[in-house]
Amino acid sequence: MDKNKFMKRAIEIAEKNITDSLGGPFGAVIVKKGIIIGEGSNTVTSTNDPTAHAEINAIRQACQNSQSFNLSNSIIYTNCEPCPMCLSAIYWARIEKIFFANSKTDAAEIGFDDDLIYQEIILPVEKRSIPTQQIFIDESILAFRAWERSDSKINY
Amino acid sequence: MDKNKFMKRAIEIAEKNITDSLGGPFGAVIVKKGIIIGEGSNTVTSTNDPTAHAEINAIRQACQNSQSFNLSNSIIYTNCEPCPMCLSAIYWARIEKIFFANSKTDAAEIGFDDDLIYQEIILPVEKRSIPTQQIFIDESILAFRAWERSDSKINY
């Protein structure tokens, strides 16, 4: 029944976020070996940060607490199905399991609609609604070549 | 020729990031009305933050500088095609144009492969490589109902 306990905590964070007026009604908890190592709520409007979704904030806190950019063997509990930004962050963080409660359809019904982003991501660059142009290719690749030659690089 | 100037700056940030050992060879610049309002480099390894890609850092800085979570009328210049996390963040931030230089194929060749994430996002939840389960639906929707009733909410 641990998963219910952790999801309850994510929902509690979401509810407190409304009364505290910190942002949207979203909360997330990251758990490793049965212990919460990070929590986050949506603080987009209160911190003027469009990336400050609950999952992103929870990942950032869990990583600070564990002094690692890798959350292998961790589980995320979020009260809402992750948006594409947060889902991608979950992959980058190497989180291994996701529990969510409300669906993205539920979120759309209260005004948080990420369906456009899900639709856009799968389109080829030239068909997306944000005009996107590739420039300066020859000059740019030099930085990548420098990275390859660098002795101090940390791969991840 | 302004677009070349701003892309040069993004590349310069990426190159400096290698010598400073802050993270991967990535830099981004956000421009509004011809002025740089935010810059960022990849600081994943140096700050233990898997979300600290160049574009995310640039968005966060631009938002702090403009005290807004909305970057309408802004352009992002990034030395590499955005990963799905950063692309989604660009949508959430309402950035209106994207210039990139190196492609995601170039990035994959130096070890930064986001193709898995692009492939996973389009799959139905039950087919993704990270096991994902929806739980606790009835309890969770109460937070969303509380949000709808809240007088202090800021929609975005």
Side-chain angles (χ1 to χ4, degrees):
Chain A
M1 302 310 290
D2 267 3
K3 67 182 181 188
N4 288 352
K5 179 180 81 175
F6 293 126
M7 186 59 83
K8 266 190 188 169
R9 176 64 190 144
I11 295 168
E12 186 178 275
I13 292 167
E15 289 172 336
K16 187 169 186 313
N17 211 49
I18 304 171
T19 49
D20 290 350
S21 296
L22 295 181
F26 306 106
V29 169
I30 294 172
V31 174
K32 189 170 185 175
K33 296 181 183 169
I35 293 165
I36 293 176
I37 60 167
E39 295 185 341
S41 69
N42 178 300
T43 58
V44 169
T45 53
S46 59
T47 63
N48 285 318
D49 181 356
T51 74
H53 287 196
E55 298 94 326
I56 299 276
N57 283 343
I59 288 170
R60 299 181 79 225
Q61 191 184 94
C63 286
Q64 292 318 301
N65 287 342
S66 51
Q67 283 297 295
S68 169
F69 51 82
N70 185 316
L71 298 176
S72 295
N73 302 312
S74 299
I75 301 172
I76 190 163
Y77 296 81
T78 167
N79 77 314
C80 188
E81 191 171 354
C83 83
M85 175 178 72
C86 294
L87 183 63
S88 305
I90 288 167
Y91 278 89
W92 283 124
R94 319 295 184 207
I95 289 172
E96 293 184 7
K97 193 159 189 174
I98 302 168
F99 289 102
F100 71 90
N102 297 311
S103 70
K104 57 185 180 181
T105 312
D106 296 328
E109 282 174 5
I110 61 161
F112 296 92
D113 196 352
D114 55 17
D115 195 52
L116 170 76
I117 303 178
Y118 271 107
Q119 295 302 322
E120 289 276 314
I121 278 182
I122 61 176
L123 295 175
V125 166
E126 64 277 11
K127 296 208 168 167
R128 292 186 187 141
S129 65
I130 300 183
T132 303
Q133 196 183 336
Q134 188 175 17
I135 60 172
F136 234 60
I137 306 165
D138 293 342
E139 297 85 344
S140 182
I141 202 71
L142 299 177
F144 279 16
R145 295 290 93 85
W147 170 260
E148 287 181 310
R149 287 192 307 272
S150 165
D151 293 328
S152 61
K153 65 175 175 286
I154 301 174
N155 291 306
Y156 67 91
Chain B
M1 301 309 291
D2 266 4
K3 67 183 180 188
N4 288 352
K5 179 179 81 176
F6 294 126
M7 186 58 84
K8 266 190 187 169
R9 176 65 189 145
I11 295 169
E12 186 178 274
I13 292 167
E15 288 172 336
K16 188 170 186 313
N17 211 49
I18 304 171
T19 49
D20 290 350
S21 296
L22 295 181
F26 305 106
V29 168
I30 294 172
V31 174
K32 189 170 183 174
K33 296 181 184 170
I35 293 165
I36 293 176
I37 60 167
E39 295 185 341
S41 70
N42 177 301
T43 57
V44 169
T45 53
S46 59
T47 63
N48 285 317
D49 181 356
T51 74
H53 287 197
E55 298 93 327
I56 299 277
N57 283 342
I59 288 170
R60 299 181 79 224
Q61 192 185 92
C63 286
Q64 291 318 300
N65 287 341
S66 51
Q67 284 296 295
S68 169
F69 51 82
N70 185 318
L71 297 176
S72 296
N73 302 313
S74 299
I75 302 172
I76 190 163
Y77 296 80
T78 167
N79 78 314
C80 188
E81 191 171 355
C83 83
M85 175 179 72
C86 294
L87 183 62
S88 304
I90 288 167
Y91 278 90
W92 283 124
R94 318 294 184 208
I95 287 173
E96 294 185 6
K97 192 157 188 175
I98 302 168
F99 288 101
F100 72 88
N102 296 312
S103 70
K104 56 185 180 181
T105 312
D106 297 327
E109 282 173 6
I110 61 161
F112 295 92
D113 197 352
D114 54 17
D115 195 51
L116 170 76
I117 303 178
Y118 272 107
Q119 295 303 322
E120 288 277 312
I121 278 182
I122 61 176
L123 295 175
V125 166
E126 64 277 11
K127 296 208 167 168
R128 292 187 188 139
S129 66
I130 301 182
T132 304
Q133 197 184 335
Q134 188 175 19
I135 60 172
F136 234 62
I137 307 165
D138 294 342
E139 297 85 343
S140 182
I141 201 70
L142 299 177
F144 279 16
R145 294 290 93 86
W147 170 261
E148 286 181 309
R149 287 192 308 273
S150 166
D151 293 327
S152 61
K153 66 174 176 285
I154 302 174
N155 292 307
Y156 67 91

